[in-house]
Amino acid sequence: MEVSQRAPGRWQLATVLSVKAETPRVKSFRLDLPMWMPHLPGQHYDVRLTAPDGYQAQRSYSVASSPLDRGEIELTIDRLADGEVSPYFHDVVEQGDQVEVRGPFASYFVWRGEDPALLIGGGSGVVPLMAMLRHRRRSMPELEMRLVYSVRSAEDVIYADELGDDATLTFTRAAPEGWGGHTGRIDGEVIAAALAGSPTAFICGSNGFVEAASRLLLAAGCDRTAIRTERFGPTG
Ligand SMILES: Cc1cc2nc3c(=O)[nH]c(=O)nc-3n(C[C@H](O)[C@H](O)[C@H](O)COP(=O)(O)OP(=O)(O)OC[C@H]3O[C@@H](n4cnc5c(N)ncnc54)[C@H](O)[C@@H]3O)c2cc1C
């Protein structure tokens, strides 16, 4: 009997099962993987595009789905106007298309069931945190896990229909009408309200966001060794 290789380093051709518009700039892609293997929430896949002339571009995208979704993964991609790979996904990739991926990768920025866990995301930095939240809801709903999510405005909220009591939002540019919650950047007050016990903290976003959130957690007395960070891009 032939045994298919499931080593994460192997490139494989995934088929796009569905495309969902999350916000005007963000789409989620559900992919069917011929060599699927379970990931840990927080891990990412590499995606590789090849042009007809052989030119290749490769980028990393976090898995947004729970590993309980066997055989498939969800990637959520923010469209950067002057980008190479993210506009291709937004403007070209459709249901039924095939894309080359390999993974899952990363052993550091992963949630292994730590309790309590505090998740802090800025913009598309919420993607790997959503995998943690989704997986915890389905596998260990009794565990203490809170998401603090910073977005510019209401139309930028990714996974809006899935955010419940375990999520605290803050709007940095424009809050929706009648909003009674926090506005502006994440500050010490937001962190203090979200802290429960001594959490393992996961911070994901731009460099500037990760730096600022890490400083706030340290100032609030969190242990440096309990803070795990993932940086998506060069700008703040
Ligand atoms: C481990 C890891 C996981 C990631 N997961 C996700 C994810 O789940 N969803 C997602 O949308 N992105 C994610 N990213 C970012 C992603 O890999 C790409 O960097 C991003 O999509 C831009 O690629 P591009 O080819 O479109 O733009 P590029 O052609 O690489 O860059 C275009 C311009 O945008 C700037 N830029 C590049 N990346 C960013 C960024 N993230 N934010 C702001 N400006 C940037 C560049 O400096 C350049 O000026 C992740 C990155 C890492 C390292």
Side-chain angles (χ1 to χ4, degrees), residues 173-187:
R173 293 208 185 146
E177 266 202 31
W179 174 247
H182 196 268
T183 53
R185 294 189 168 190
I186 290 173
D187 58 18

Side-chain angles (χ1 to χ4, degrees), residues 84-102:
E84 228 174 19
V85 172
S86 60
Y88 177 86
F89 267 84
H90 275 254
D91 305 343
V92 180
V93 173
E94 291 178 348
Q95 186 181 346
D97 286 354
Q98 292 197 307
V99 289
E100 227 182 344
V101 302
R102 69 173 179 186

Side-chain angles (χ1 to χ4, degrees), residues 208-222:
F209 180 86
V210 169
E211 295 295 332
S214 302
R215 276 196 299 273
L216 287 169
L217 281 180
L218 291 172
C222 284

Side-chain angles (χ1 to χ4, degrees), residues 49 55-59 61 80-89:
L49 303 180
Y55 172 76
Q56 292 188 320
Q58 189 178 314
R59 300 289 183 273
Y61 292 102
L80 298 184
D82 59 345
E84 228 174 19
V85 172
S86 60
Y88 177 86
F89 267 84

Side-chain angles (χ1 to χ4, degrees), residues 34-223:
M35 294 192 294
W36 179 87
M37 61 188 289
H39 60 276
L40 289 165
Q43 288 190 303
H44 66 267
Y45 271 69
D46 288 341
V47 171
R48 180 167 73 178
L49 303 180
T50 307
D53 65 1
Y55 172 76
Q56 292 188 320
Q58 189 178 314
R59 300 289 183 273
S60 300
Y61 292 102
S62 304
V63 182
S65 46
S66 160
L68 293 176
D69 295 344
R70 292 189 69 80
E72 53 189 68
I73 56 167
E74 183 181 295
L75 304 182
T76 300
I77 302 184
D78 186 6
R79 187 185 193 286
L80 298 184
D82 59 345
E84 228 174 19
V85 172
S86 60
Y88 177 86
F89 267 84
H90 275 254
D91 305 343
V92 180
V93 173
E94 291 178 348
Q95 186 181 346
D97 286 354
Q98 292 197 307
V99 289
E100 227 182 344
V101 302
R102 69 173 179 186
F105 294 120
S107 58
Y108 165 73
F109 193 78
V110 292
W111 178 61
R112 298 173 192 271
E114 288 92 343
D115 176 31
L118 175 59
L119 320 177
I120 306 179
S124 57
V126 73
V127 178
L129 308 180
M130 197 60 197
M132 299 176 193
L133 209 56
R134 283 171 166 168
H135 192 52
R136 171 274 203 165
R137 284 176 183 165
R138 286 167 66 176
S139 59
M140 291 161 271
E142 70 288 354
L143 292 199
E144 182 72 32
M145 182 180 272
R146 172 147 289 279
L147 169 69
V148 174
Y149 179 20
S150 171
V151 282
R152 290 187 190 133
S153 64
E155 70 163 24
D156 297 309
V157 179
I158 307 173
Y159 316 121
D161 50 355
E162 286 186 56
L163 300 178
D165 291 346
D166 46 8
T168 302
L169 266 73
T170 181
F171 295 94
T172 56
R173 293 208 185 146
E177 266 202 31
W179 174 247
H182 196 268
T183 53
R185 294 189 168 190
I186 290 173
D187 58 18
E189 195 187 319
V190 176
I191 295 296
L195 275 177
S198 306
T200 303
F202 296 86
I203 309 174
C204 186
S206 65
N207 281 332
F209 180 86
V210 169
E211 295 295 332
S214 302
R215 276 196 299 273
L216 287 169
L217 281 180
L218 291 172
C222 284
D223 192 326

